[in-house]
Amino acid sequence: MDENVKKFKIIRNAVIVICVIIILSSIRLQIIEGAKYNRLSENNRIRQKSVAAPRGKIFDRYGVEIANTRPGFYVSAIQSVIDESTLAELMRILDIDVAIIQERFKLQKNPFLPVKIAHDISYAQLSVLEESWDRMKGIEVGVEPLRNYPYDDLFAHVVGYVGEITQEEMIERQEYAIDDYLGRMGLEEYYEESLKGVDGIEYVEVDAWGKEVGTISEKRPIPAMYGNDLHTTLDCSLTQAVALYLEEYEKAACVCIDPRTGDVLVLYSKPGFDPNRFVHGIDEQEWQLLNIAPDAPMYNRATMSCYPCGSTFKAFVALAALDASMITEHKTFKPCQGYYRLGNRIFRCWKKHWRLDLTHAIIHSCDCYFYQLGRLVGIDTLHAKIREVGFGRLTTIDIPNEKSGLLPDRSWYERRYGKYWTEGHILNFSIGQGDILVTPLQLACAFTLFANQGRIPTPHCIQQDENTFHDTHFSQEAIALVAKGLQGVVSSGTGMLARVDGIAVCGKTGTAQNPHGDDHSLFVGYAPADDPEILVCVIVENAGHGGSVAAPIAGKIMRLFFQSQESRKHAKAN
Amino acid sequence: MQKRIDLRIIIAVAVLSLIGLLMIFSTAPLTVFYRQVIWLLCSVLVAIVFSRISPRIWCNLAPYIYAGLIVLLVLLLVVRPGAYPSRWFRFGSVFLQPSEFAKFATVLFLANILAVKKRMQSYRDMFAPLAAVIVPALLVFIEPDLGAAQIFFPIAILMLYWSGTRAAKLFVFFSPIVSIAASFNIYIWVAYFAGLAVFLYFQKQMVDFIYGMVSNFLAGLITPVVWSSLKTYQQQRIISFFSPWVDPQGMSWQIIQSKIAIGSGRLIGKGFLSGTQKKLAFLPERHTDFIFSCLGEEFGLLGVLLTTIVFIYLLYRLLVLAKETKNRFASIFVSGVFAWIGYQMLLNIGMTMGLLPITGVPLPFISYGGSSLLATFMALGICFSISRTRFNY
């Protein structure tokens, strides 16, 4: 069978060719590309799991925890594995919207990796979830450290809050992972780097459905590194007291600092919000509500709200005049008759003061006196001198989004009012009304120069060994003269309600005119007069006169401060 | 002249069956393994019995066996046991897959038909064998089981070739299928058609020329018309039916995981029972269609080479048997068994390595499946019988 032999050879050769192809392609797969496929198979089964590092704690100056972490259960889902019935069940148990889950999936570029879809689920939810565990696909539950604020809204503005990182923020911050939290506002934002810690890495073996089946022993896990603790200069009990004293007012701010060091003891703004709400991802509606609320609870009034500083400004006008040697303390002007006439315009004083010298003009806060003093000194000298106290400039406190306020000068007035700006503006400027704007923090810092012989410390919320100062160039005599007036304000003038028994208090009241409503009540003061330990700045919006609202509150704060100082000293002695 | 059974074939089959048991032990639950052991024992028993029966008797029995299988296939479609798709008869816990036995019966019957004619000369001679193939293929296709249905045709083509049909004639006869495939691109089709015309001209066969030109032209003309009259979803259904590998989420994932499994085995493999792709269920159909991937993962290149070479050796011995066998029916039957085992091996291994599309064809002797194993051993039993009597006319 010749023909059979021929066909046999053809088919045999075909078989050999096929054999060679199979062998060659298996050599290619297993030897040439073997390492690559081996890596792929390892990637298949080994998942790098990020272990969230607990954020550093935040303490007040006496070691009270004002922000810490607590464990919370989270639920994560794998997009490529999760099915319709699991999704439906999840929505039922966790009571979340499918749109939120889809949003989270969109964030996670790799559909084979899990992404957290719910934080801080309750024990009840967890137990229901566990019951239907076997039926659910592509779901994981784990424990993560969650930020906790034991004092709820008390430190909301100064400490800030944390929230899950957004897509836009992730583009800017490459080192952050999808489920990471990011400090927002306050110290949480400013000290983010230090507080965050370093996430650890854990290697787990997973099956084809992404379910963890065990840990990997070949690869060592990298433990998470705790974030650094933050030891602040804040005084928790004093802040609690401030909140209590301001309870009856809707909108207010209070700054207490140690004038010797710039330590911020209290930085309080009202109304506030509960930063704990942001931990599990605040829902859209609530976020909108917080942001568009007319009383702006997210706004830190102590560092971001700008007010005219009212009569508190007179202390600086007097200081500028004395420093420029344009007057002495005995300088008198035309007696105050309750108003001052400039051309055909009338500028009012709040009372008929008759003839006063500089000290008494400060004590009784006579507007007429300062109208004339302002005219005498002139806008340029006033601006040049007062600029030094820090108005119109950031205090560089370690809290983000501080506002710099406004200290107008001649060119600003010309730009603003053109050629029509008149000396009337200077008169308003001289009593701290009109266009001048300061934040409560700026005002507090500016007043430290009276308490501290001209040195203004940089305000800060973190305990530090070395403090930085801004040395002003006012003469010591001028400072002492104004300080004498400030002491008079509290002992016998407009700020008498801020008196503290046995301790000399210096201060100045102010009433910031508010074109939108009732005047804001202001008081800045420090005590004791000879060796100040605390400086208090209180502003209560729409509350009226500084002397009647802000001053008594400041007095209460200082009284409490000295009482607790005393009891601490006793405790130490025992 | 009596001769002893070809021991080399038996050894090759034994090695492959043992590899199969080993891999099923590794990839499937223990009950599945035991079941396969029982199937294998039964199959060996059946093969021994079949090998005792003379090829002459098999030749005479062929039409009845074929008829019986056709009845079974029709019955399967009529009764529709179990859920869609209906591919199995169920007897208690035993599943029987008629399509596997239909391969055996068709090979037997084709050998019977083709043995009658000394030489296939005209197209008329091809009609009977083709009809014998198309009937079971169509019945299996309706089940539906495209993977199993298409296997009948390469087997038939090789048997036709072995029985004496000229390769050129075979090509011309089946060329309309190429024309249909080529008609989706007008330039490719024109080039193909022109090439075919030149080829046919030099064949100098008037009938071939006319048949080839007309059938190819009609196929190329009608296909686009029919295609464009279909609704989009129908077109998509057809595309996904004929080329399931275009579906990216489902099928290509299987191929990728299969290639990762084989590739990650490297030279000596991850070791018996420790394939991670297999263990963690990244591999689909681990003990059936993709069992070769597990073999590649756990035993590496060495395992792949051993298995492939044993397979090729078995095929070679079958081919030698077909050549040496004097009896025409027996020779053609062995060529059919060769085509059957060889084509399934090629499809399955090619699929696991990503060289060929996914068709869901089991790997003979190794994949889990009683019907497949039993049908293959039935055919081998007859081959052993032929081997004993190979020098008898």
Side-chain angles (χ1 to χ4, degrees), chain A residues 399-418:
Chain A
I399 286 181
N401 298 324
E402 189 196 352
K403 289 277 183 339
S404 60
L406 172 71
L407 183 69
D409 61 359
R410 184 180 289 278
S411 65
W412 187 89
Y413 276 117
E414 278 169 4
R415 254 179 290 131
R416 176 77 171 76
Y417 299 106

Side-chain angles (χ1 to χ4, degrees), chain A residues 282-533:
Chain A
I282 195 160
D283 62 68
E284 193 73 16
Q285 211 179 352
E286 204 173 341
W287 170 251
Q288 289 295 338
L289 222 59
L290 272 177
N291 270 292
I292 59 164
D295 54 356
M298 303 287 291
Y299 212 64
N300 186 354
R301 287 176 155 71
T303 60
M304 293 164 81
S305 270
C306 298
Y307 306 93
C309 47
S311 300
T312 58
F313 193 65
K314 288 170 186 163
F316 303 105
V317 174
L319 182 67
L322 284 170
D323 190 60
S325 304
M326 292 176 116
I327 57 165
T328 64
E329 59 177 315
H330 307 298
K331 173 75 181 176
T332 53
F333 289 104
K334 217 171 95 186
C336 166
Q337 302 198 322
Y339 62 89
Y340 177 75
R341 188 186 294 272
L342 177 75
N344 53 2
R345 281 182 70 189
I346 298 286
F347 289 83
R348 301 206 167 274
C349 185
W350 61 284
K351 196 173 145 188
K352 287 182 184 167
H353 289 100
W354 306 109
R355 187 175 300 273
L356 293 168
D357 64 3
L358 178 66
T359 314
H360 286 90
I362 293 173
I363 291 171
H364 299 293
S365 199
C366 175
D367 291 346
C368 288
Y369 186 93
F370 282 93
Y371 291 142
Q372 297 173 72
L373 184 58
R375 284 192 70 189
L376 177 72
V377 180
I379 182 76
D380 298 319
T381 313
L382 281 178
H383 182 267
K385 295 277 177 194
I386 296 175
R387 231 177 69 86
E388 268 205 79
V389 308
F391 291 157
R393 212 171 45 224
L394 298 177
T395 64
T396 65
I397 189 173
D398 45 1
I399 286 181
N401 298 324
E402 189 196 352
K403 289 277 183 339
S404 60
L406 172 71
L407 183 69
D409 61 359
R410 184 180 289 278
S411 65
W412 187 89
Y413 276 117
E414 278 169 4
R415 254 179 290 131
R416 176 77 171 76
Y417 299 106
K419 56 187 172 187
Y420 298 109
W421 88 283
T422 60
E423 239 174 320
H425 287 116
I426 300 178
L427 297 193
N428 265 334
F429 179 82
S430 308
I431 59 159
Q433 308 289 6
D435 301 300
I436 179 164
L437 291 169
V438 300
T439 67
L441 179 69
Q442 278 180 323
L443 195 57
C445 287
F447 263 80
T448 56
L449 83 90
F450 299 114
N452 216 20
Q453 286 89 43
R455 301 185 90 194
I456 299 180
T458 308
H460 53 87
C461 300
I462 296 305
Q463 291 185 19
Q464 53 194 42
D465 301 331
E466 292 278 310
N467 297 306
T468 52
F469 293 91
H470 167 64
D471 285 305
T472 56
H473 301 98
F474 298 108
S475 70
Q476 292 299 327
E477 296 80 51
I479 292 169
L481 281 176
V482 178
K484 201 178 93 189
L486 295 178
Q487 195 173 347
V489 169
V490 178
S491 61
S492 60
T494 53
M496 279 173 70
L497 289 171
R499 263 194 297 201
V500 179
D501 288 343
I503 291 169
V505 178
C506 300
K508 183 74 191 85
T509 57
T511 307
Q513 288 171 5
N514 175 18
H516 309 293
D518 291 339
D519 293 346
H520 304 316
S521 171
L522 263 161
F523 181 84
V524 201
Y526 58 88
D530 43 351
D531 183 19
E533 291 172 34

Side-chain angles (χ1 to χ4, degrees), chain A residues 3 7 25 30 38 44 208, chain B residues 119 162 257 266 277 280-281:
Chain A
E3 209 191 340
K7 285 183 287 187
S25 68
Q30 299 184 292
N38 194 44
N44 255 350
Chain B
R119 195 169 241 290
W162 189 256
Q257 294 303 335
R266 305 217 254 185
Q277 288 283 102
L280 302 170

Side-chain angles (χ1 to χ4, degrees), chain B residues 30-51:
Chain B
L30 215 53
T31 50
V32 172
F33 171 72
Y34 288 143
R35 201 171 277 210
Q36 183 75 354
V37 170
I38 292 165
W39 272 113
L40 185 62
L41 291 178
C42 293
S43 303
V44 170
L45 219 67
V46 168
I48 289 170
V49 172
F50 276 28
S51 70

